[in-house]
Amino acid sequence: MTDGCGREIEYLRLSVTDKCNLRCKYCMPEEGIRHLLHTDVLSFEEIQRLVGIMKGLGIGKMRLTGGEPLVRKGVVSLVDMLPCDVYMTTNGCMLSEYARALKEAGLRGVNVSLDTLDAARFKELTGRDELGRVLEGIDAAADAGIPVKLNCVPIRGVNDGEIEELCDFARRSSFDIRFIELMPIGCASAHTGIPSDEIIERLGLTPSESPSDGRLSSGPAKYYRQEGSGTRIGFISPMSQKFCDTCNRIRLTADGFLKTCLQYSNGTDLRLLLRSGADNDTIRRAIESAVGYKPPAHSFGNDSGSDTRRMVQIGG
Ligand code: SAM
Ligand code: SF4
């Protein structure tokens, strides 16, 4: 399935809940959010049906996200039900409980968000004293044989002093780590992200170390090899180096809205179609039509037409 700009859409990010057991300051508003009613959230059978239709349109890879995906009851069985390659992005707090079962259900890989290795800073940033559990979760996923990547959002004055330490941790544990530029969505606007080039320069990574072109992971990250190890440091730079012209992804919110761009509210309400008895052909045409109007690029900083959903409601 191609969009109106000729981009091949191959990848779905699927939020399975808008609930979370952490409250990261740059993602969840201090006052919290008004949660969806249980009846408004797509059931596993509804998700399975939509994913099956999307598979027929060429979407073979998907990532479960949230809120926190492991907070959704039964999420392991959802992994098992889905007819495509399933990955997950999690805060890691509950991974140690579910790692083995997720592996058995066929989870292909997990990205764990890790912004700090300092317990007090973790508590300050997330509102919860859970760093220990996150680190246990990371170990458990690796022990279960699930490929692990670490994600960090560097924020000035918050965790910018820890970049080297986080890279060391990743190298010692044999994981890739990716630094993601902060996007000014909701409460993130109150914080200042750090451009990738600043970190690349600080770490002394030079183009001569031949960054892979990002295709290696079929995603937007540009990778550099970590010296003295087989691991890599990746950079996802939506602010300083927009990658919209190669954007191959769409998003489905927990209440079934198909979102075609992270910034804008463009898309279509698939739950409405599902629950009004639409057949698969009708739903397929609605997806194709929404994808046809996928915006050509984001324009963070210019808010006109922006979605009012918070990151915790979108899933990153
Ligand atoms: N709860 C899970 C987690 O934390 O990994 C999944 C959902 S979370 C919204 C997905 C990813 O989005 C996390 O890696 C988080 O750090 C990232 N994120 C949240 N707000 C962001 C922002 N404003 N800019 C860039 N990344 C953000
Ligand atoms: Fe933090 Fe993820 Fe929860 Fe957002 S959804 S508050 S990034 S743990």
Side-chain angles (χ1 to χ4, degrees):
M1 172 176 47
T2 50
D3 71 2
C5 302
R7 294 168 294 194
E8 192 72 38
I9 305 302
E10 305 162 320
Y11 171 44
L12 172 71
R13 289 182 72 100
L14 168 60
S15 172
V16 292
T17 178
D18 63 348
K19 296 193 174 130
C20 190
N21 43 6
L22 297 183
R23 274 174 177 257
C24 302
K25 286 186 168 174
Y26 59 85
C27 176
M28 172 92 89
E30 215 175 313
E31 66 280 12
I33 55 161
R34 185 192 292 259
H35 288 295
L36 294 167
L37 296 174
H38 180 65
T39 48
D40 288 341
V41 173
L42 291 186
S43 69
F44 289 171
E45 289 69 26
E46 287 171 325
I47 292 173
Q48 187 185 38
R49 183 167 166 213
L50 289 179
V51 169
I53 295 169
M54 290 187 195
K55 188 168 182 209
L57 289 167
I59 295 182
K61 176 178 169 183
M62 60 174 301
R63 179 172 295 281
L64 302 184
T65 177
E68 171 48 39
L70 292 174
V71 163
R72 174 89 189 248
K73 262 206 188 95
V75 74
V76 174
S77 58
L78 179 65
V79 173
D80 199 30
M81 283 165 72
L82 295 176
C84 58
D85 292 346
V86 185
Y87 297 78
M88 181 179 284
T89 293
T90 170
N91 62 30
C93 292
M94 296 167 78
L95 247 187
S96 61
E97 287 161 56
Y98 291 114
R100 290 215 168 273
L102 286 167
K103 173 70 182 170
E104 275 162 28
L107 191 76
R108 297 282 183 133
V110 70
N111 289 355
V112 184
S113 302
L114 185 68
D115 293 327
T116 176
L117 289 164
D118 179 278
R121 187 169 293 128
F122 187 96
K123 187 169 178 202
E124 165 64 20
L125 184 63
T126 68
R128 303 277 188 274
D129 194 5
E130 296 280 11
L131 178 65
R133 279 224 295 163
V134 173
L135 298 177
E136 278 169 31
I138 292 172
D139 282 347
D143 287 348
I146 303 175
V148 175
K149 284 183 191 158
L150 304 177
N151 281 347
C152 170
V153 179
I155 302 175
R156 216 175 284 291
V158 175
N159 59 353
D160 46 352
E162 285 193 70
I163 306 279
E164 287 82 355
E165 202 183 327
L166 283 157
C167 290
D168 278 352
F169 173 81
R171 184 176 41 73
R172 283 198 311 274
S173 319
S174 304
F175 303 137
D176 286 349
I177 182 165
R178 292 112 51 85
F179 294 102
I180 304 170
E181 285 179 349
L182 184 74
M183 289 172 274
I185 293 178
C187 45
S189 305
H191 302 275
T192 309
I194 305 181
S196 297
D197 278 349
E198 186 178 320
I199 300 174
I200 291 169
E201 193 181 327
R202 184 165 134 191
L203 295 177
L205 304 170
T206 64
S208 63
E209 287 175 61
S210 64
S212 73
D213 66 2
R215 290 280 105 196
L216 209 64
S217 63
S218 68
K222 295 245 163 93
Y223 284 102
Y224 293 74
R225 295 266 162 223
Q226 280 243 63
E227 228 173 276
S229 83
T231 63
R232 302 175 300 168
I233 304 175
F235 295 89
I236 301 178
S237 318
M239 302 306 292
S240 65
Q241 295 163 43
K242 267 190 190 182
F243 42 80
C244 301
D245 55 343
T246 58
C247 182
N248 64 354
R249 60 193 56 194
I250 51 178
R251 295 173 165 82
L252 189 64
T253 61
D255 58 348
F257 188 83
L258 181 73
K259 238 178 104 54
T260 54
C261 175
L262 188 52
Q263 179 182 7
Y264 297 110
S265 52
N266 296 46
T268 193
D269 186 348
L270 294 179
R271 186 188 66 190
L272 193 68
L273 278 179
L274 280 169
R275 296 189 182 173
S276 62
D279 62 18
N280 283 6
D281 253 8
T282 306
I283 295 173
R284 182 178 46 74
R285 281 196 300 275
I287 295 170
E288 285 176 319
S289 166
V291 164
Y293 288 100
K294 180 174 163 66
H298 73 70
S299 176
F300 285 124
N302 171 1
D303 288 344
S304 104
S306 284
D307 200 347
T308 53
R309 292 180 182 88
R310 308 306 183 105
M311 200 60 133
V312 64
Q313 297 165 306
I314 300 172

